[in-house]
Amino acid sequence: MSNYYQEKIECASREQILAWQNERLVKQVKNVYDNVPYYRKKMQENGLTPDDIKSVDDLHKLPFLTKDDLRDAYPYDLMARPVSDCVRIQSTSGTTGRRVVAFYTQNDLDLWEDCCARAIMAAGGTKEDVVHVSYGYGLFTGGPGLNGGSHKVGCLTLPMSSGNTERQIQFMTDLGSTILCCTPSYAAFLGEAINERGMKDKIKLKAGIFGAEAWTEEMRRDIEKSLGIKAYDIYGLTEISGPGVSFECSEQQGMHINEDHFIAEIIDPNTGEVLPEGEKGELVFTSITKEAFPLIRYRTRDICVLSRKKCSCGRTHVKMTKPMGRSDDMLIVKGVNVFPSQIETVLINQGYAANYQIIVTRQGNSDRIVVQVELTPEMAADSSFNKTTAAKKLVSGLKAMLGILAEVELVDPKTIARSEGKAVRVIDKRNLYK
């Protein structure tokens, strides 16, 4: 990817960006109307045809898509291309164990990798760099996205995946890794491991691109000090494409959204009303170049603010703040989406009532999740009931459902406080959104 290409796209005038968006939105709306019966029905229920959408100014007329729609349409009903045109899927966990599956044509992959390449270049990456990708590979989008982006820039790419700390450090030192891509919590862990081994003067890292979980400015500074780098944020969702939907530049004051591929809106999460620039609300994305799995007005549930304030880096694409919270009950723990409903499913399947509480803390830079579960009166009265065995069974069931380790504390009946309103299921003590 040349610097000329980067400047032509990322430093385009507002008029040029709107021209791209208007043309591509009109084309995409007609595409989903003609090829996605699920979405055509939603438009018809709102009295809409493609002729009603003539520009971005008409975007607010279109219905939203939500996680519920993705669950209802699983696996193929939101596809706009036949399976024979698709070359890959990526996936993330769903709210009740049903996964979100996103489909890609080869062109979709090319455009996604372009977006990730822009993130690498914004972090100072060139073809002279060695990019050390320690995101997970496989169905998770982190590894494949940054791997492809690194190739587009022309970097030597180390597809490390996560884990095996000794090998990570060995390759980092032997091959001279200069840009690290992983979750912020794993970057913090690597920093600790490198410093414990007295290896900091042996590494050549200059930058890190970290995403997939929330992290504070304090954590950023800790990582920068620990690894001797500049740490950049990156944002994305599997449903939209993956990492690279937006990314930080050297200013580190928000993430530039790739507006030639995605239209961003901020809405009131309660009313759905579109809010003006600078107001805090729920982030909504429309994919205007995706072929296989284009989502129109997809509600991310992330709370943030959009700004078109001039950026010192020269990029003109709108910036979003770090997510400031969620408008739903989803947690992101160790880079994994965790919903209380998933935990509730495991509890009920093992004979417990839906009386539980999820407590998430951060010890150093590592997340810890504890699920407090009330025994039923029958369990508590049964002298043969073994709490240790029962807790281990729950831990195993939760690991299978969530993909991460959750500790379990079995407590006596009626121990967890009841609420007359909505039950308080989650206590997140990490203070991630300040």
Side-chain angles (χ1 to χ4, degrees):
M1 178 180 290
S2 69
N3 286 333
Y4 169 75
Y5 174 83
Q6 177 191 15
E7 291 172 4
K8 181 180 178 182
I9 300 296
E10 297 183 75
C11 301
S13 68
R14 180 63 186 152
E15 291 74 21
Q16 179 61 73
I17 292 170
L18 280 174
W20 287 330
Q21 291 185 335
N22 289 336
E23 178 185 354
R24 293 170 183 179
L25 175 64
V26 169
K27 183 178 178 181
Q28 189 70 284
V29 170
K30 186 176 189 310
N31 175 38
V32 296
Y33 191 89
D34 290 344
N35 297 300
V36 186
Y38 186 96
Y39 201 75
R40 179 167 63 247
K41 181 181 178 183
K42 287 180 75 76
M43 286 182 63
Q44 290 172 342
E45 288 172 350
N46 286 268
L48 294 170
T49 71
D51 292 338
D52 295 307
I53 309 302
K54 296 178 173 60
S55 72
V56 174
D57 291 338
D58 297 319
L59 184 60
H60 70 279
K61 300 176 182 178
L62 293 165
F64 294 112
L65 283 174
T66 67
K67 268 279 175 58
D68 286 341
D69 289 303
L70 268 62
R71 183 168 60 246
D72 293 343
Y74 174 89
Y76 294 123
D77 288 353
L78 281 172
M79 290 182 66
R81 293 290 184 274
V83 173
S84 59
D85 287 352
C86 299
V87 297
R88 191 194 299 174
I89 69 159
Q90 302 287 163
S91 179
T92 186
S93 60
T95 58
T96 57
R98 176 173 282 186
R99 303 187 69 89
V100 170
V101 177
F103 298 83
Y104 301 75
T105 64
Q106 185 59 54
N107 187 58
D108 290 336
L109 292 179
D110 289 339
L111 296 181
W112 175 29
E113 291 172 357
D114 280 349
C115 290
C116 290
R118 294 178 190 179
I120 292 171
M121 295 179 76
T126 72
K127 66 179 182 179
E128 305 300 327
D129 280 292
V130 178
V131 175
H132 192 109
V133 184
S134 295
Y135 283 110
Y137 280 71
L139 290 172
F140 179 56
T141 55
L146 272 300
N147 192 96
S150 177
H151 288 176
K152 285 289 179 81
V153 178
C155 308
L156 176 62
T157 308
L158 309 186
M160 301 299 298
S161 195
S162 57
N164 199 330
T165 304
E166 294 299 331
R167 184 176 62 188
Q168 298 275 357
I169 298 173
Q170 179 187 347
F171 274 62
M172 198 175 287
T173 55
D174 292 350
L175 296 174
S177 303
T178 55
I179 298 177
L180 173 64
C181 303
C182 62
T183 62
S185 57
Y186 192 58
F189 176 77
L190 284 173
E192 291 172 4
I194 288 167
N195 283 281
E196 285 172 0
R197 290 160 175 77
M199 301 287 287
K200 186 174 180 180
D201 63 338
K202 301 290 195 303
I203 66 171
K204 298 180 181 179
L205 290 176
K206 67 178 185 181
I209 301 173
F210 308 131
E213 61 188 17
W215 50 309
T216 62
E217 287 301 311
E218 289 77 11
M219 188 174 182
R220 185 206 297 269
R221 302 309 167 205
D222 285 346
I223 292 171
E224 290 183 331
K225 182 178 179 181
S226 177
L227 289 172
I229 63 174
K230 189 161 185 172
Y232 296 81
D233 208 345
I234 189 169
Y235 175 89
L237 307 93
T238 300
E239 303 95 305
I240 301 299
S241 68
V245 172
S246 66
F247 55 86
E248 276 188 326
C249 62
S250 57
E251 195 174 80
Q252 291 181 312
Q253 295 293 322
M255 291 171 278
H256 290 281
I257 295 169
N258 283 308
E259 289 193 278
D260 50 327
H261 299 299
F262 312 102
I263 300 175
E265 302 171 273
I266 294 292
I267 66 167
D268 182 313
N270 297 314
T271 67
E273 175 191 1
V274 179
L275 300 177
E277 177 189 335
E279 297 239 355
K280 183 168 72 173
E282 182 183 340
L283 182 62
V284 173
F285 276 119
T286 295
S287 303
I288 52 175
T289 56
K290 284 287 290 291
E291 293 179 340
F293 198 70
L295 299 188
I296 306 291
R297 303 198 81 197
Y298 180 70
R299 296 186 61 164
T300 68
R301 299 298 181 181
D302 286 324
I303 301 298
C304 72
V305 175
L306 297 181
S307 172
R308 295 195 178 278
K309 182 180 177 182
K310 186 176 180 180
C311 186
S312 61
C313 76
R315 291 174 177 82
T316 52
H317 291 198
V318 69
K319 288 202 289 190
M320 57 176 280
T321 62
K322 277 178 174 285
M324 302 171 178
R326 297 281 303 177
S327 65
D328 61 6
D329 56 359
M330 188 186 84
L331 290 162
I332 301 178
V333 182
K334 299 179 181 179
V336 174
N337 296 348
V338 175
F339 292 84
S341 54
Q342 291 175 298
I343 292 172
E344 189 169 306
T345 297
V346 174
L347 301 186
I348 291 173
N349 286 344
Q350 294 195 22
Y352 297 85
N355 299 319
Y356 63 95
Q357 202 156 62
I358 305 162
I359 302 169
V360 186
T361 57
R362 175 157 283 175
Q363 297 179 329
N365 288 312
S366 179
D367 292 337
R368 177 176 179 242
I369 181 169
V370 178
V371 183
Q372 292 185 338
V373 183
E374 278 190 7
L375 298 174
T376 65
E378 294 76 18
M379 292 173 179
D382 185 353
S383 59
S384 65
F385 182 81
N386 188 304
K387 290 177 70 172
T388 301
T389 301
K392 287 181 178 179
K393 185 178 178 183
L394 277 173
V395 167
S396 177
L398 291 170
K399 178 70 181 296
M401 173 67 82
L402 305 176
I404 59 173
L405 179 66
E407 301 173 40
V408 170
E409 292 180 1
L410 293 176
V411 299
D412 292 335
K414 299 185 179 180
T415 300
I416 297 172
R418 286 359 183 215
S419 172
E420 293 182 1
K422 184 177 180 180
V424 179
R425 296 294 190 205
V426 177
I427 300 175
D428 192 340
K429 298 181 178 181
R430 295 175 294 177
N431 197 21
L432 295 173
Y433 300 113
K434 61 184 180 180

